[in-house]
Amino acid sequence: MVENRPLADFITHLVLVLGVVAIALPIWITFVAASHDEIRMAQAPLPLWPGDQLWVNLKQTLFGEGLSGTETAPVWLMLFNSLFMALMISLGKIGISLLSAFAIVYFKFPFRMACFWMIFITLMLPVEVRILPTFEVVANLGMLNSYWGLSIPLIASATATFMFRQVFLTVPDEMLESARIDGAGPMRFFWDILLPLSRTNIAALFVILFIFGWNQYLWPLLITTDTSMTTIVMSIKQMLEAAEQSPQWNIIMMTALLAMIPPIFVVISMQKLFVQGLTETDK
Amino acid sequence: MADITLTDLTKSYGPTEVLHHIEGDINDGEFIVIVGPSGCGKSTLLRMVAGLETVTSGEIQIGGKRVNELEPSARDIAMVFQNYALYPHMSVRENMAYGLKIRKLSKDEINRRVEEAADILEIRQYLDRKPRQLSGGQRQRVAMGRAIVRDPQVFLFDEPLSNLDAKLRVQMRLEIRKLQQRLGVTSIYVTHDQVEAMTLGDRLMVLNGGYVEQFGTPIELYDRPASVFVAGFIGSPAMNLIPSQASGGAISLPGGAQVNSATDANGDVLLGLRPEHLTPDENGPVSIDVEMVEQLGANTLLHGTLSGTNHEMVASVAGHDAAASGTQRRFSISPDLVHLFDPQTEKRLNP
Amino acid sequence: MLKRVHFPSSPLPYLLVAPQLAITLIFFIWPASQAMYQSFLIEDAFGLGSEFVWFENFQILWEDSHYHAAFWRTAVFSVLVAALSMGFALILAGFAQRVVRGAMFYRTLLIWPYAIAPVLAGALWVFMFNPTLGILPYFLEFVGVTWNHYLNGGQAMALVILAAAWKQVAYNFLFYLAAMQSIPNSVIEAAAIDGAGPGRRFWTIIFPLISPTTFFLLVINMVYAFFETFGIIHAVTQGGPGSSTTILVYKVFNDGFVGLDLGGSAAQSVILMVLVIAMTVVQFRYVERKVEY
C-alpha cells in the first residue's frame, strides 16, 4: 500500500478476520454439528467446538440406513448421482458450446445469424421460468428418472457458447491464416490450435459449470421420483422435513457437509483458473 | 522457384474498390518490396497473392499457373506475419514442423529440414522452447524458419520487422536480404518504411490509394520519381516541391530565382529539388533564409524558407556547417538533378 | 462478430451447431413458446379441456392482490439481498485490496460459499436459527428477542434474506476485488500524494472507478435473487408462514405444480421471462459500453 501505518494495517486485518469469521460461521457450525452424536445435538445450547463423532457419523451417513423415518437412497448413491449429473452437464455443455462457437466464429454460412440468435436467446430463459412445459417435454420423451433427463435440458444454455465465442474472437486472425498456409483444414485447426489455445478458459468454465450442475435443485426435484435417482443436494430438503419429527442434526449436517465438499474442493483447488474465468468472461 | 504475374488485379469490398487494376511481373528469384502509406492496399495485395483474400477480378499466376481459386496451402507459398503468428502452445520445433506434418512428410525428413533451417537462422539452441520464452528478434527468426522449412516457391513478408526496435530492425533487414539471396526464392515484402524498402528490394512497387504509382528499382525511383507522391515518399529528408513557371528550359521560382533544366515543358510546373542536391554556392540562384540548423554529424540540415517567399525549404550540406539561423544561404543545382511535375496530374514532366 | 478470414462454406458448420440447436429447440424454444401459449388458456375445473382466453390470465393476475403482494415482496427481497451481499462484499474487498501479502489467503477463505448450493445455504442457516436448538436464537434470547421463523413472517423473511445474501457475498467479493486490483497503482499513489487518506481515496477514487462493476453486480444479484433463491425458499420456509416469503418464482412453481393452475402459472412465467429479458438487455448495454474502452 501507499503508506505504512501500523494502526491502519491492524484495522484492515481485523475487519478481514471478522469478515472471514462471519462468512465461515455457518460452515463451521455445520462441521461441528457433524462431529457430535445425536443426543448431544438435541440439547440446547448446541456446541461450538467439534466433538469426536465425525467418523462415526460419516460412516453412518454414507453407508448406514440414513435418517430414520425416511425412505431415501443411500448417501453414497446420491453423491454418485450428483457427480454424474454435474459431469454430464459441465462436459456436455463445454463440448457442444465449443463446437457451435467454432462454427459461428470461423464459418460464414447461410442462417449463421439466425443460429446465433436462437442460441443467444436462451441466455434469457432460466429453467425456473419455463419449468412446467420443459417438464412436459422431458416426460413425453420418457426421460424422467434418467441421467439424460437430469442433464440434457440444462446443457444447452448460451452462456458457455457466448464465452467461447468471446475467447475465439480474441485469438489473432493470423493463427487461422498461418494454419491455412500450413494446410490445416477446419477440424485440424480446431484440435491443433484452437483447443490448446482455449485450455485455461475451458478449465475455468469447467469449474463454474461443475458447480452449476452439482448445485441444481429444482430440476432434479421435479423429474426424479425414483429414490435411486435422487441427488445429494435435493435430499437436503427431505432431511429438513424429517428433522421436524426426529431431529438427527448430526446426520443431516454430515449430509450437508458431504454435499458441499466436492464443489468446494473443485473451487479451492482450481481457484486461480476459476477466478480468472469468472471475472474475465462472465461480463 | 517461380515468377509471379499480376494481371489487371482489382479488389472490392462491397461497392468499394480498394485496389485498382494492378499490373506487375515479378521475375524468378526477385525480391520485390511493396511500399506505401498505411491504408494504401499493400497488405491486401499481399494477402491476395497468399490466398487469404479473394480476387475480385483479374488474375494471379505463380510459376505460370493461375492460382486465383487455390487454397493458400496449395499455392506453395510461405508467409511471415507482422505479429509472427507463432502457435503459442507449440515449441519452436513444433511450430516449424507443423506444416510439414500436415503434408505427411516423414519424421526424418521433417527433422532434417527443421534442423537445417534452425542452423541457417542460428536458433538451434531454442528449438525446444515456447515462443513466449523468446525475445522479439528470436521470434522473428522462428517465423522465418517456419517459412524456410517448407521450401516454398514464394516468400511473402507482411511488415515483419515493424514490431522490433530500431537496432534489431537494421540487423534483421540485412539478414533477410542475405538469406533471400542465398536461397534465391522469389519474395514479396510489404512495408511502409521507405528505408527498409530501398535497402531490401530489387524492385519497389509504390502503392498509393490502391493505385501503383511506380514499379522500378530503388535507383530509378530515386532518380526519376514518376509522380509527386513517389518523389515525396522516397528520399529523406523529403524533396522540396515548389510551384514554378517553366519556359524554354528555364524554371522561374517564386521570389525571382531561376534554375535550368533540359525540358520542353511550358507554363505551371511543380519543381522538385532534393535537399542533398542543393550545392552551397555563393553565386547560386536559389537562396534560403535559414531558420533552424540540425547538425547530424555526417551532414547538416538547413531548414528555412525560399528567400522572399514563405515556401518551406530544406537543404542538406555535407559535413559540418556553422550556418546560423537568421542568415541567408545560396545554392546552385545541376540541371539533370531538377525534377518537374505537372501540377494537375502530379505526373513527371521531364525525362 | 466474425473473423476477417473464415473457412469456405461447407456443410460442416451446420453439423457443428446441430447439437446445440437441437437441444435449444427442444428444451428451450419449444417449452418457452408453450409457456407463452398456455398463458392464453384457462383449464376447466376438472382439467378436461381448456379454453383460449387471450389475456384473461394476465388480467386475473393484474387484479390479484396476492400476486401484487408477491411482486412487491420479491422486489423488497431482491433489493435487500443485493444490497446486503454487495455492501458486505464491497467492505471486505476494500480492505482486502489494501493487504499486500495475504490478499489471496483471504480470498481463499472467503470464496467457499460460492460453491455451496442455495438450498444448502438455506439448510445451514435454518439450522443456526432453529428456534429450539439453534445457536443464534439462544443468544438472541439474551437480548430479549424470541426467534421463531415458523410463526413470525418477518423473521422468516429475514432468515431467507440472510441465507441468500450470505451465499452471494463470495461472488460479489471476487468481482470487487478483481475490479479494485485492476485500478493502476499510480492512480492511488497520485491521490495519496494529493493528500487523500485511505478512506477518502476509497470513496473518491476507487469507488467511482469500480462503478461499472457495481452496476454489473447489481443486475447479476437481482437475477440471482429472482430465480436461484428458489431452493432456499422451498427448503426453508415453503413460502410461509402464510405467504410471507412467497416470491414470484416460488409462486410460479407453487401455482403450477401444487395448485395445478396451469394457465395462471404460465402467465406468471411469461411475466418473469419479460423481466429477465429486460435485465439481460440492460446488462448487455453495459457489456457493450465496456467493449468500447
Side-chain angles (χ1 to χ4, degrees):
Chain A
M1 242 306 100
V2 183
E3 65 267 86
N4 189 13
R5 289 200 228 164
L7 181 67
D9 285 352
F10 175 73
I11 293 172
T12 300
H13 286 284
L14 184 71
V15 171
L16 286 170
V17 168
L18 286 176
V20 167
V21 167
I23 291 295
L25 183 70
I27 301 172
W28 173 252
I29 287 186
T30 308
F31 174 69
V32 170
S35 69
H36 285 276
D37 59 26
E38 193 184 327
I39 298 160
R40 179 66 189 87
M41 288 312 293
Q43 300 164 348
L46 290 174
L48 281 171
W49 207 247
D52 53 4
Q53 300 292 306
L54 195 68
W55 295 114
V56 178
N57 288 336
L58 180 66
K59 261 208 321 239
Q60 199 198 332
T61 309
L62 267 183
F63 305 109
E65 300 251 309
L67 227 49
S68 52
T70 55
E71 270 193 37
T72 51
V75 167
W76 65 264
L77 180 62
M78 295 196 278
L79 279 171
F80 173 80
N81 287 342
S82 280
L83 181 70
F84 200 74
M85 175 177 76
L87 285 178
M88 265 177 95
I89 290 176
S90 47
L91 298 179
K93 221 166 176 171
I94 287 172
I96 65 166
S97 316
L98 274 170
L99 292 178
S100 55
F102 176 54
I104 282 168
V105 173
Y106 281 100
F107 291 86
K108 199 175 181 176
F109 57 97
F111 305 112
R112 190 180 134 267
M113 284 314 285
C115 292
F116 177 72
W117 281 108
M118 210 172 333
I119 292 168
F120 186 74
I121 201 163
T122 60
L123 263 185
M124 308 171 186
L125 299 172
V127 75
E128 285 85 359
V129 303
R130 55 190 165 81
I131 195 92
L132 261 172
T134 313
F135 174 80
E136 276 170 28
V137 169
V138 171
N140 289 338
L141 291 173
M143 298 204 305
L144 295 182
N145 287 314
S146 74
Y147 289 116
W148 296 113
L150 273 175
S151 50
I152 288 184
L154 298 169
I155 277 182
S157 106
T159 35
T161 314
F162 197 67
M163 191 196 107
F164 283 127
R165 174 180 164 272
Q166 303 291 82
V167 173
F168 292 168
L169 285 177
T170 62
V171 173
D173 285 359
E174 284 84 359
M175 286 293 128
L176 170 60
E177 296 176 346
S178 198
R180 280 183 71 187
I181 290 175
D182 275 337
M187 287 327 279
R188 180 124 204 189
F189 171 72
F190 181 72
W191 280 113
D192 286 355
I193 315 285
L194 214 48
L195 279 193
L197 284 181
S198 327
R199 254 185 331 215
T200 47
N201 302 86
I202 294 173
L205 197 65
F206 172 77
V207 178
I208 294 167
L209 292 177
F210 182 86
I211 291 166
F212 167 85
W214 182 276
N215 288 349
Q216 282 303 316
Y217 175 69
L218 176 56
W219 185 246
L221 197 67
L222 289 181
I223 74 145
T224 58
T225 45
D226 184 344
T227 47
S228 70
M229 289 302 296
T230 43
T231 66
I232 186 90
V233 167
M234 60 180 275
S235 75
I236 293 297
K237 152 93 173 148
Q238 286 165 298
M239 296 210 167
L240 285 182
E241 275 170 3
E244 283 162 29
Q245 275 82 50
S246 69
Q248 286 177 288
W249 284 105
N250 55 335
I251 303 296
I252 298 174
M253 288 295 120
M254 177 54 89
T255 313
L257 205 57
L258 288 172
M260 55 194 175
I261 283 172
I264 287 181
F265 174 77
V266 169
V267 166
I268 300 294
S269 63
M270 295 174 84
Q271 185 184 174
K272 211 173 139 222
L273 283 174
F274 155 72
V275 171
Q276 206 182 340
L278 195 68
T279 51
E280 279 169 18
T281 52
D282 225 28
K283 330 189 171 185
Chain B
M1 310 300 136
D3 51 352
I4 301 171
T5 313
L6 311 176
T7 316
D8 197 21
L9 206 56
T10 61
K11 173 73 187 176
S12 307
Y13 293 109
T16 329
E17 194 172 278
V18 294
L19 283 175
H20 320 279
H21 309 287
I22 308 288
E23 300 273 349
D25 286 311
I26 297 165
N27 301 323
D28 185 16
E30 211 177 4
F31 198 121
I32 297 295
V33 177
I34 305 177
V35 64
S38 57
C40 71
K42 54 189 190 298
S43 280
T44 310
L45 180 56
L46 186 80
R47 295 161 55 79
M48 283 163 80
V49 176
L52 297 170
E53 299 274 356
T54 55
V55 174
T56 307
S57 73
E59 190 176 71
I60 302 171
Q61 287 187 357
I62 298 177
K65 198 174 88 187
R66 177 185 161 97
V67 297
N68 284 28
E69 289 78 22
L70 289 185
E71 272 285 295
S73 53
R75 295 187 183 201
D76 204 4
I77 48 145
M79 186 155 166
V80 178
F81 292 87
Q82 182 172 1
N83 62 5
Y84 317 136
L86 300 178
Y87 307 123
H89 57 294
M90 296 185 190
S91 69
V92 169
R93 183 189 294 277
E94 288 163 337
N95 258 288
M96 287 164 72
Y98 186 64
L100 304 179
K101 233 163 76 188
I102 290 178
R103 294 172 170 203
K104 302 204 162 61
L105 266 66
S106 75
K107 256 213 173 81
D108 294 342
E109 174 69 7
I110 293 177
N111 278 337
R112 193 187 62 72
R113 285 210 203 178
V114 167
E115 273 156 29
E116 195 181 287
D119 285 340
I120 295 174
L121 292 161
E122 294 164 10
I123 50 173
R124 195 161 187 145
Q125 65 269 42
Y126 308 123
L127 277 179
D128 294 312
R129 296 207 191 159
K130 292 277 171 65
R132 66 168 178 277
Q133 297 165 298
L134 301 178
S135 69
Q138 289 161 347
R139 284 180 209 180
Q140 170 66 52
R141 283 164 200 268
V142 177
M144 307 247 303
R146 198 164 62 169
I148 294 174
V149 289
R150 311 197 32 198
D151 192 16
Q153 291 194 25
V154 179
F155 281 145
L156 303 173
F157 298 90
D158 189 2
E159 307 218 22
L161 302 183
S162 55
N163 286 350
L164 300 180
D165 63 46
K167 192 172 161 227
L168 208 51
R169 201 154 25 184
V170 173
Q171 187 195 336
M172 287 307 295
R173 196 168 80 198
L174 291 171
E175 284 193 28
I176 289 179
R177 187 64 178 134
K178 273 194 280 185
L179 189 69
Q180 195 268 345
Q181 278 171 348
R182 173 170 164 193
L183 300 172
V185 177
T186 317
S187 302
I188 305 181
Y189 186 107
V190 160
T191 181
H192 62 269
D193 180 336
Q194 56 110 353
V195 179
E196 218 170 278
M198 296 288 279
T199 49
L200 275 174
D202 291 322
R203 283 193 295 156
L204 272 53
M205 179 183 274
V206 183
L207 273 188
N208 182 31
Y211 290 97
V212 177
E213 293 274 344
Q214 192 169 4
F215 188 21
T217 65
I219 293 307
E220 275 167 18
L221 264 61
Y222 180 81
D223 287 347
R224 292 271 170 273
S227 66
V228 173
F229 179 81
V230 178
F233 196 74
I234 304 290
S236 174
M239 184 185 279
N240 298 298
L241 290 162
I242 309 141
S244 308
Q245 294 288 322
S247 129
I251 320 294
S252 311
L253 281 70
Q258 225 173 42
V259 297
N260 294 319
S261 163
T263 177
D264 47 10
N266 276 306
D268 286 348
V269 293
L270 211 50
L271 169 70
L273 302 174
R274 289 206 184 273
E276 58 274 31
H277 293 156
L278 290 166
T279 326
D281 179 351
E282 279 174 31
N283 305 314
V286 182
S287 166
I288 296 177
D289 295 335
V290 178
E291 285 168 359
M292 207 190 54
V293 178
E294 283 182 321
Q295 298 277 3
L296 300 179
N299 56 337
T300 305
L301 298 184
L302 307 176
H303 296 266
T305 53
L306 187 63
S307 296
T309 72
N310 51 10
H311 286 288
E312 304 253 338
M313 291 282 286
V314 185
S316 173
V317 182
H320 301 192
D321 191 298
S325 62
T327 58
Q328 201 173 62
R329 297 295 293 269
R330 299 192 80 85
F331 300 89
S332 62
I333 187 153
S334 157
D336 54 335
L337 294 176
V338 168
H339 307 272
L340 292 174
F341 302 96
D342 186 320
Q344 260 75 53
T345 64
E346 302 205 330
K347 294 287 173 227
R348 186 177 186 84
L349 289 171
N350 56 337
Chain C
M1 196 61 237
L2 184 71
K3 292 281 173 177
R4 179 172 60 177
V5 181
H6 19 79
F7 288 109
S9 199
S10 72
L12 185 62
Y14 294 101
L15 286 177
L16 294 172
V17 290
Q20 176 144 26
L21 273 191
I23 295 180
T24 303
L25 279 173
I26 297 171
F27 296 103
F28 283 72
I29 309 281
W30 169 251
S33 49
Q34 277 293 301
M36 220 147 336
Y37 175 66
Q38 273 170 1
S39 70
F40 295 127
L41 300 179
I42 288 187
E43 301 226 342
D44 64 34
F46 307 101
L48 296 173
S50 55
E51 192 189 347
F52 193 83
V53 293
W54 286 108
F55 293 98
E56 201 179 314
N57 282 318
F58 293 92
Q59 209 181 331
I60 293 170
L61 286 177
W62 181 252
E63 287 157 7
D64 180 1
S65 61
H66 291 298
Y67 191 70
H68 284 208
F71 206 97
W72 288 114
R73 199 176 296 121
T74 309
V76 170
F77 172 77
S78 7
V79 167
L80 284 177
V81 168
L84 209 59
S85 63
M86 284 170 69
F88 198 58
L90 181 66
I91 293 169
L92 287 179
F95 280 101
Q97 60 90 29
R98 286 180 47 86
V99 180
V100 186
R101 272 157 216 240
M104 290 306 115
F105 169 73
Y106 285 115
R107 192 179 77 183
T108 307
L109 289 175
L110 286 168
I111 63 174
W112 291 34
Y114 174 80
I116 294 172
V119 58
L120 284 173
L124 266 48
W125 282 82
V126 84
F127 173 59
M128 288 205 302
F129 276 100
N130 184 296
T132 48
L133 280 170
I135 289 168
L136 294 172
Y138 177 80
F139 288 110
L140 285 173
E141 202 70 47
F142 288 110
V143 291
V145 178
T146 305
W147 183 274
N148 193 340
H149 59 263
Y150 294 111
L151 303 174
N152 183 321
Q155 289 180 350
M157 191 60 156
L159 176 59
V160 289
I161 288 175
L162 271 179
W166 172 77
K167 185 201 146 32
Q168 198 64 1
V169 166
Y171 185 88
N172 295 337
F173 173 77
L174 284 176
F175 274 87
Y176 271 136
L177 188 63
M180 288 178 192
Q181 285 174 339
S182 72
I183 297 175
N185 236 341
S186 55
V187 174
I188 314 274
E189 283 161 355
I193 290 168
D194 281 340
R200 201 187 176 96
R201 282 203 299 270
F202 183 80
W203 286 113
T204 58
I205 311 286
I206 298 176
F207 189 68
L209 282 176
I210 58 168
S211 62
T213 304
T214 301
F215 180 69
F216 165 79
L217 286 177
L218 192 65
V219 176
I220 292 283
N221 280 277
M222 295 296 274
V223 174
Y224 162 79
F226 261 64
F227 299 105
E228 287 173 54
T229 51
F230 173 86
I232 300 178
I233 308 265
H234 188 243
V236 173
T237 65
Q238 272 129 64
S243 57
S244 57
T245 54
T246 300
I247 61 169
L248 288 176
V249 67
Y250 189 78
K251 196 166 161 58
V252 170
F253 164 81
N254 206 43
D255 290 2
F257 269 86
V258 183
L260 293 176
D261 171 14
L262 297 184
S265 169
Q268 293 180 34
S269 295
V270 170
I271 293 173
L272 273 184
M273 268 188 240
V274 171
L275 283 175
V276 191
I277 289 172
M279 285 196 237
T280 315
V281 168
V282 169
Q283 190 191 329
F284 270 88
R285 279 255 152 115
Y286 158 85
V287 169
E288 248 145 53
R289 221 186 44 195
K290 276 292 273 195
V291 171
E292 274 172 34
Y293 289 124

Short mmCIF file of all heavy atoms in Angstrom, two decimals, chain B residues 304-336:
data_model
loop_
_atom_site.label_atom_id
_atom_site.label_comp_id
_atom_site.label_asym_id
_atom_site.label_seq_id
_atom_site.Cartn_x
_atom_site.Cartn_y
_atom_site.Cartn_z
N GLY B 304 14.54 26.25 -43.64
CA GLY B 304 14.21 27.66 -43.76
C GLY B 304 13.16 27.88 -44.82
O GLY B 304 12.39 26.97 -45.13
N THR B 305 13.12 29.09 -45.37
CA THR B 305 12.16 29.38 -46.43
C THR B 305 12.92 29.91 -47.64
O THR B 305 14.03 30.46 -47.51
CB THR B 305 11.14 30.43 -45.99
OG1 THR B 305 11.84 31.57 -45.49
CG2 THR B 305 10.22 29.90 -44.91
N LEU B 306 12.31 29.72 -48.80
CA LEU B 306 12.86 30.28 -50.02
C LEU B 306 12.82 31.80 -49.88
O LEU B 306 11.77 32.37 -49.56
CB LEU B 306 11.97 29.82 -51.19
CG LEU B 306 12.44 30.14 -52.60
CD1 LEU B 306 13.76 29.46 -52.90
CD2 LEU B 306 11.37 29.71 -53.60
N SER B 307 13.95 32.46 -50.08
CA SER B 307 14.04 33.89 -49.80
C SER B 307 12.96 34.66 -50.55
O SER B 307 12.70 34.41 -51.73
CB SER B 307 15.41 34.43 -50.23
OG SER B 307 16.40 33.81 -49.43
N GLY B 308 12.31 35.55 -49.84
CA GLY B 308 11.29 36.39 -50.44
C GLY B 308 9.92 35.72 -50.50
O GLY B 308 8.98 36.33 -51.00
N THR B 309 9.80 34.47 -50.03
CA THR B 309 8.51 33.78 -50.04
C THR B 309 8.36 33.08 -48.70
O THR B 309 9.23 33.18 -47.84
CB THR B 309 8.48 32.68 -51.13
OG1 THR B 309 9.33 31.61 -50.70
CG2 THR B 309 8.95 33.21 -52.47
N ASN B 310 7.24 32.39 -48.54
CA ASN B 310 7.16 31.56 -47.33
C ASN B 310 7.10 30.07 -47.68
O ASN B 310 6.50 29.28 -46.97
CB ASN B 310 5.97 31.99 -46.46
CG ASN B 310 4.70 32.08 -47.25
OD1 ASN B 310 4.68 31.64 -48.40
ND2 ASN B 310 3.65 32.63 -46.65
N HIS B 311 7.72 29.66 -48.79
CA HIS B 311 7.83 28.24 -49.11
C HIS B 311 8.91 27.60 -48.25
O HIS B 311 10.04 28.04 -48.25
CB HIS B 311 8.20 28.05 -50.59
CG HIS B 311 7.06 28.33 -51.50
ND1 HIS B 311 5.97 27.48 -51.62
CD2 HIS B 311 6.81 29.36 -52.32
CE1 HIS B 311 5.10 27.98 -52.47
NE2 HIS B 311 5.59 29.13 -52.91
N GLU B 312 8.52 26.54 -47.54
CA GLU B 312 9.49 25.83 -46.70
C GLU B 312 10.52 25.15 -47.58
O GLU B 312 10.19 24.59 -48.62
CB GLU B 312 8.77 24.76 -45.87
CG GLU B 312 7.63 25.30 -45.03
CD GLU B 312 7.98 25.32 -43.57
OE1 GLU B 312 8.89 24.55 -43.18
OE2 GLU B 312 7.37 26.11 -42.81
N MET B 313 11.78 25.22 -47.17
CA MET B 313 12.85 24.57 -47.92
C MET B 313 13.78 23.88 -46.95
O MET B 313 13.99 24.34 -45.83
CB MET B 313 13.67 25.62 -48.71
CG MET B 313 12.97 26.28 -49.87
SD MET B 313 12.90 25.22 -51.32
CE MET B 313 14.58 25.29 -51.91
N VAL B 314 14.37 22.78 -47.40
CA VAL B 314 15.40 22.10 -46.63
C VAL B 314 16.59 21.87 -47.55
O VAL B 314 16.41 21.49 -48.70
CB VAL B 314 14.93 20.73 -46.09
CG1 VAL B 314 15.98 20.11 -45.19
CG2 VAL B 314 13.61 20.85 -45.36
N ALA B 315 17.78 22.13 -47.03
CA ALA B 315 18.98 21.80 -47.77
C ALA B 315 19.85 20.92 -46.91
O ALA B 315 19.88 21.07 -45.69
CB ALA B 315 19.73 23.06 -48.16
N SER B 316 20.49 19.93 -47.53
CA SER B 316 21.38 19.05 -46.79
C SER B 316 22.80 19.29 -47.28
O SER B 316 23.10 19.12 -48.46
CB SER B 316 20.96 17.60 -47.03
OG SER B 316 21.90 16.73 -46.45
N VAL B 317 23.66 19.71 -46.36
CA VAL B 317 25.03 20.07 -46.71
C VAL B 317 25.96 19.03 -46.11
O VAL B 317 25.81 18.66 -44.95
CB VAL B 317 25.37 21.46 -46.15
CG1 VAL B 317 26.77 21.88 -46.55
CG2 VAL B 317 24.35 22.47 -46.63
N ALA B 318 26.91 18.54 -46.92
CA ALA B 318 27.83 17.53 -46.41
C ALA B 318 28.70 18.10 -45.31
O ALA B 318 29.02 19.29 -45.31
CB ALA B 318 28.71 17.01 -47.56
N GLY B 319 29.06 17.28 -44.36
CA GLY B 319 29.98 17.68 -43.30
C GLY B 319 29.33 18.65 -42.32
O GLY B 319 28.12 18.75 -42.22
N HIS B 320 30.18 19.38 -41.59
CA HIS B 320 29.68 20.31 -40.59
C HIS B 320 29.45 21.65 -41.25
O HIS B 320 30.10 22.01 -42.22
CB HIS B 320 30.67 20.46 -39.45
CG HIS B 320 30.97 19.17 -38.77
ND1 HIS B 320 31.64 19.06 -37.58
CD2 HIS B 320 30.71 17.89 -39.14
CE1 HIS B 320 31.77 17.81 -37.26
NE2 HIS B 320 31.21 17.06 -38.20
N ASP B 321 28.52 22.38 -40.74
CA ASP B 321 28.24 23.69 -41.33
C ASP B 321 27.85 24.61 -40.19
O ASP B 321 26.96 24.29 -39.38
CB ASP B 321 27.12 23.59 -42.35
CG ASP B 321 26.99 24.87 -43.16
OD1 ASP B 321 26.71 25.93 -42.55
OD2 ASP B 321 27.18 24.81 -44.38
N ALA B 322 28.49 25.74 -40.11
CA ALA B 322 28.29 26.63 -38.97
C ALA B 322 27.24 27.69 -39.24
O ALA B 322 27.20 28.71 -38.57
CB ALA B 322 29.61 27.29 -38.59
N ALA B 323 26.38 27.44 -40.25
CA ALA B 323 25.37 28.45 -40.57
C ALA B 323 24.52 28.76 -39.35
O ALA B 323 24.12 27.86 -38.62
CB ALA B 323 24.47 27.94 -41.69
N ALA B 324 24.25 30.02 -39.13
CA ALA B 324 23.43 30.41 -38.00
C ALA B 324 22.03 30.72 -38.49
O ALA B 324 21.85 31.10 -39.65
CB ALA B 324 24.02 31.64 -37.32
N SER B 325 21.05 30.52 -37.62
CA SER B 325 19.70 30.86 -38.04
C SER B 325 19.61 32.37 -38.22
O SER B 325 20.29 33.13 -37.53
CB SER B 325 18.68 30.37 -37.01
OG SER B 325 18.91 31.02 -35.81
N GLY B 326 18.80 32.79 -39.17
CA GLY B 326 18.68 34.20 -39.47
C GLY B 326 19.58 34.64 -40.61
O GLY B 326 19.43 35.72 -41.15
N THR B 327 20.50 33.77 -41.02
CA THR B 327 21.37 34.14 -42.15
C THR B 327 20.75 33.65 -43.45
O THR B 327 19.81 32.87 -43.46
CB THR B 327 22.76 33.53 -42.01
OG1 THR B 327 22.62 32.11 -41.94
CG2 THR B 327 23.48 34.04 -40.78
N GLN B 328 21.31 34.12 -44.54
CA GLN B 328 20.81 33.71 -45.85
C GLN B 328 21.89 32.88 -46.54
O GLN B 328 23.07 33.23 -46.45
CB GLN B 328 20.49 34.94 -46.68
CG GLN B 328 19.53 34.69 -47.81
CD GLN B 328 19.11 35.98 -48.49
OE1 GLN B 328 19.97 36.68 -49.03
NE2 GLN B 328 17.84 36.29 -48.44
N ARG B 329 21.51 31.75 -47.16
CA ARG B 329 22.49 30.93 -47.87
C ARG B 329 22.04 30.75 -49.30
O ARG B 329 20.86 30.70 -49.59
CB ARG B 329 22.60 29.56 -47.18
CG ARG B 329 23.10 29.64 -45.74
CD ARG B 329 24.53 30.15 -45.67
NE ARG B 329 25.45 29.20 -46.26
CZ ARG B 329 26.06 28.22 -45.56
NH1 ARG B 329 25.85 28.12 -44.27
NH2 ARG B 329 26.87 27.39 -46.16
N ARG B 330 23.04 30.64 -50.17
CA ARG B 330 22.70 30.47 -51.59
C ARG B 330 23.18 29.10 -52.05
O ARG B 330 24.21 28.59 -51.61
CB ARG B 330 23.35 31.58 -52.42
CG ARG B 330 22.89 32.96 -52.02
CD ARG B 330 23.31 33.98 -53.04
NE ARG B 330 22.42 34.01 -54.19
CZ ARG B 330 21.29 34.71 -54.25
NH1 ARG B 330 20.90 35.44 -53.22
NH2 ARG B 330 20.55 34.70 -55.33
N PHE B 331 22.42 28.54 -52.99
CA PHE B 331 22.74 27.20 -53.51
C PHE B 331 22.56 27.17 -55.02
O PHE B 331 21.79 27.95 -55.57
CB PHE B 331 21.78 26.15 -52.91
CG PHE B 331 21.84 26.06 -51.42
CD1 PHE B 331 21.02 26.85 -50.63
CD2 PHE B 331 22.72 25.17 -50.81
CE1 PHE B 331 21.07 26.76 -49.26
CE2 PHE B 331 22.77 25.09 -49.43
CZ PHE B 331 21.95 25.89 -48.64
N SER B 332 23.29 26.26 -55.63
CA SER B 332 23.05 26.01 -57.05
C SER B 332 22.66 24.55 -57.20
O SER B 332 22.81 23.75 -56.26
CB SER B 332 24.31 26.31 -57.87
OG SER B 332 25.35 25.46 -57.46
N ILE B 333 22.13 24.18 -58.37
CA ILE B 333 21.73 22.80 -58.60
C ILE B 333 22.01 22.41 -60.04
O ILE B 333 21.82 23.21 -60.96
CB ILE B 333 20.24 22.58 -58.24
CG1 ILE B 333 19.90 21.09 -58.33
CG2 ILE B 333 19.32 23.42 -59.12
CD1 ILE B 333 18.78 20.70 -57.44
N SER B 334 22.49 21.22 -60.23
CA SER B 334 22.81 20.73 -61.58
C SER B 334 21.51 20.51 -62.36
O SER B 334 20.55 19.96 -61.80
CB SER B 334 23.61 19.44 -61.44
OG SER B 334 23.49 18.69 -62.59
N PRO B 335 21.44 20.91 -63.62
CA PRO B 335 20.19 20.80 -64.40
C PRO B 335 19.65 19.39 -64.46
O PRO B 335 18.43 19.18 -64.47
CB PRO B 335 20.61 21.28 -65.79
CG PRO B 335 21.80 22.13 -65.57
CD PRO B 335 22.52 21.57 -64.38
N ASP B 336 20.53 18.35 -64.48
CA ASP B 336 19.99 16.98 -64.58
C ASP B 336 19.47 16.45 -63.24
O ASP B 336 19.00 15.33 -63.16
CB ASP B 336 21.04 16.04 -65.20
CG ASP B 336 22.35 16.10 -64.44
OD1 ASP B 336 22.59 17.15 -63.79
OD2 ASP B 336 23.09 15.11 -64.46
#
